[in-house]
Amino acid sequence: MSNGIASCSASSGTRQSATVRIVGYLQKCIGGTWYNIKNWSDVGTYSAAIEKTCAIDSGYTYRYIAYTYVYDSSGNLLETATASDSADYYP
């Protein structure tokens, strides 16, 4: 986070022929509760990725969380994963 901009990125892939879906959430902490303020997603075969920026307000703490889902050709969920950045205060 710098100059009022948060950079949000995540990627995931698999070695098998499967559908990868990734969903990322930029969250803002207000009064001790986390709120989703922006979300992005991508879907692909073998891999998916998110590379986005978002304007943020000063005086709040933010974090970015990404969820990955891997599906086989029949649509059955094979695997899930979660990744998150540490919470950062933007002065």
Side-chain angles (χ1 to χ4, degrees):
M1 291 185 293
S2 64
N3 298 321
I5 300 292
S7 296
C8 303
S9 62
S11 62
S12 187
T14 181
R15 283 184 256 167
Q16 58 188 348
S17 179
T19 299
V20 179
R21 180 172 185 251
I22 190 164
V23 183
Y25 298 91
L26 178 61
Q27 298 183 325
K28 180 180 188 178
C29 187
I30 302 172
T33 302
W34 290 100
Y35 295 92
N36 295 333
I37 60 168
K38 197 75 175 175
N39 65 77
W40 302 275
S41 64
D42 186 41
V43 177
T45 303
Y46 291 103
S47 65
I50 297 170
E51 291 281 342
K52 299 291 183 179
T53 58
C54 181
I56 55 173
D57 300 319
S58 61
Y60 292 95
T61 299
Y62 295 86
R63 69 181 179 188
Y64 181 68
I65 300 178
Y67 301 94
T68 300
Y69 308 92
V70 179
Y71 301 91
D72 67 15
S73 59
S74 299
N76 299 307
L77 182 63
L78 300 176
E79 186 179 348
T80 64
T82 304
S84 63
D85 289 341
S86 59
D88 279 328
Y89 177 75
Y90 184 65

